[in-house]
Amino acid sequence: MAKSIACFANKGGTGKTTSVVNIGGIYAGQGARTLMIDMDPQSSLSKFFLGSDGVHGLYPNQTVASLFDEACIPNPKDLVHATQFENIFVTPASEHLKKHNKPEPYKLGEIQTVLRDFVSDVSDQFDFILIDCAPDVSNLPTRASLIAADYAIAPILPERFSVQAIAGVDTELARARDINNRLVFLGYFLSQRRSRLGLHDATESNLRSVQGERVFETVIPQAVAVAEAQQMGQPITIYDASTSAAKITAQLAAEILTRIANQNQTRRAA
Ligand SMILES: Nc1ncnc2c1ncn2[C@@H]1O[C@H](COP(=O)(O)OP(=O)(O)OP(=O)(O)O)[C@@H](O)[C@H]1O
Ligand SMILES: [Mg+2]
């Protein structure tokens, strides 16, 4: 059974897609079969692995949108696409997902659980299933992601607006637990932090004093290597595992696993 982890945030541009690509790249590099599911109509993750033309050429029934389309009975096999990288598979999004980007999804009935059913159908084929969410946390795709996942993580930028968006994250976690009581929030992690920037230092220490252990120890720096890897269409460890950004991302990937193991231990003890 795969460990399923949704990466979400109540704000755009916090590093969700980059984190999924790079953390997934680390697990895949360690030999774990890794599926990345794109739940964002912008389709950044899908374009990263399949290219813009590749994504435009997809039929709706080859994308995650088909799960939400009542006229479609998707075959899970059609939704799992191999990539050029060993152990990395993608369930792509495309513009077809836009029409399912509905507000107030908790009023919508069974459609909220279609991604959960897909994840459970393919779970035994993978070690990790990472779900890249859209920035609007209160719409159907993100709700479906939080209902499908066992775990959630949330990147935040070390700046005021991003930290303020935490309230929205907590609201959606609580709502998702109405249906998915397995869901464990593993924590927030700071992303794109600039070293020696007083503002980022202050925001980080404030966040840690308020949120405590809900904040990962590992902090992802703003790094040229991350942007370069993205430009090359490669996860950071494949682009250059020797960069400090790659090593720090590997630490985050390990800290996620430690938090999962600790959680499971606590559950067994309870
Ligand atoms: N650690 C980093 N160092 C430098 N640049 C980064 C880093 N992480 C992300 N970026 C850049 O920041 C931008 C936003 O990142 P990304 O697309 O991953 O965010 P997102 O949360 O998925 O955005 P959206 O909400 O639009 O889906 C991208 O241009 C990406 O290249
Ligand atoms: Mg994104």
Side-chain angles (χ1 to χ4, degrees):
M1 289 286 283
K3 293 178 176 61
S4 52
I5 307 171
C7 184
F8 81 119
N10 192 19
K11 198 175 179 309
T14 62
K16 297 175 288 298
T17 303
T18 306
S19 303
V20 166
V21 166
N22 289 338
I23 293 167
I26 284 160
Y27 295 143
Q30 292 166 348
R33 281 173 65 85
T34 302
L35 175 66
M36 303 186 200
I37 302 179
D38 191 348
M39 289 300 286
D40 186 349
Q42 293 180 102
S43 320
S44 307
L45 179 102
S46 311
K47 289 174 188 163
F48 182 92
F49 286 109
L50 306 177
S52 293
D53 290 345
V55 172
H56 286 310
L58 291 169
Y59 293 107
N61 68 353
Q62 296 175 295
T63 77
V64 78
S66 61
L67 296 172
F68 297 90
D69 189 340
E70 281 165 12
C72 196
I73 304 175
N75 182 344
K77 279 193 194 134
D78 295 336
L79 301 185
V80 174
H81 299 244
T83 70
Q84 64 179 121
F85 303 110
E86 197 179 0
N87 291 326
I88 298 182
F89 300 81
V90 173
T91 294
S94 70
E95 61 194 16
H96 300 290
L97 188 59
K98 268 188 201 148
K99 67 172 183 258
H100 304 291
N101 195 24
K102 296 178 181 155
E104 302 195 319
Y106 44 88
K107 294 181 178 167
L108 292 179
E110 283 184 0
I111 203 154
Q112 299 172 69
T113 57
V114 291
L115 186 67
R116 179 186 71 187
D117 297 343
F118 169 68
V119 164
S120 99
D121 280 346
V122 299
S123 185
D124 59 356
Q125 299 167 38
F126 297 100
D127 300 296
F128 290 95
I129 296 178
L130 303 182
I131 307 174
D132 179 27
C133 296
D136 30 16
V137 279
S138 50
N139 284 8
L140 177 60
T142 300
R143 175 152 177 87
S145 304
L146 293 176
I147 288 170
D150 292 329
Y151 305 99
I153 55 175
I156 50 176
L157 302 177
E159 59 181 43
R160 193 166 168 201
F161 290 156
S162 194
V163 171
Q164 282 172 343
I166 280 179
V169 165
D170 286 344
T171 304
E172 292 313 318
L173 282 171
R175 277 208 182 116
R177 288 198 183 101
D178 287 346
I179 292 185
N180 179 10
N181 62 11
R182 304 179 324 278
L183 181 64
V184 172
F185 181 58
L186 297 174
Y188 301 100
F189 59 93
L190 285 157
S191 163
Q192 298 170 61
R193 188 188 189 292
R194 282 165 63 187
S195 58
R196 296 187 298 278
L197 186 69
L199 180 65
H200 283 191
D201 291 346
T203 312
E204 179 178 356
S205 68
N206 184 29
L207 181 72
R208 289 191 187 283
S209 72
V210 175
Q211 296 289 332
E213 289 186 358
R214 293 183 94 211
V215 186
F216 279 85
E217 270 176 44
T218 312
V219 174
I220 301 294
Q222 187 176 70
V224 173
V226 174
E228 285 173 351
Q230 209 149 22
Q231 197 62 28
M232 298 299 290
Q234 295 174 335
I236 181 85
T237 35
I238 293 173
Y239 173 68
D240 187 347
S242 71
T243 57
S244 109
K247 289 176 187 161
I248 293 171
T249 309
Q251 280 170 22
L252 178 63
E255 195 180 349
I256 290 170
L257 296 188
T258 305
R259 286 186 173 227
I260 289 175
N262 291 346
Q263 187 61 42
N264 290 340
Q265 213 168 21
T266 312
R267 269 186 183 158
R268 276 195 298 274

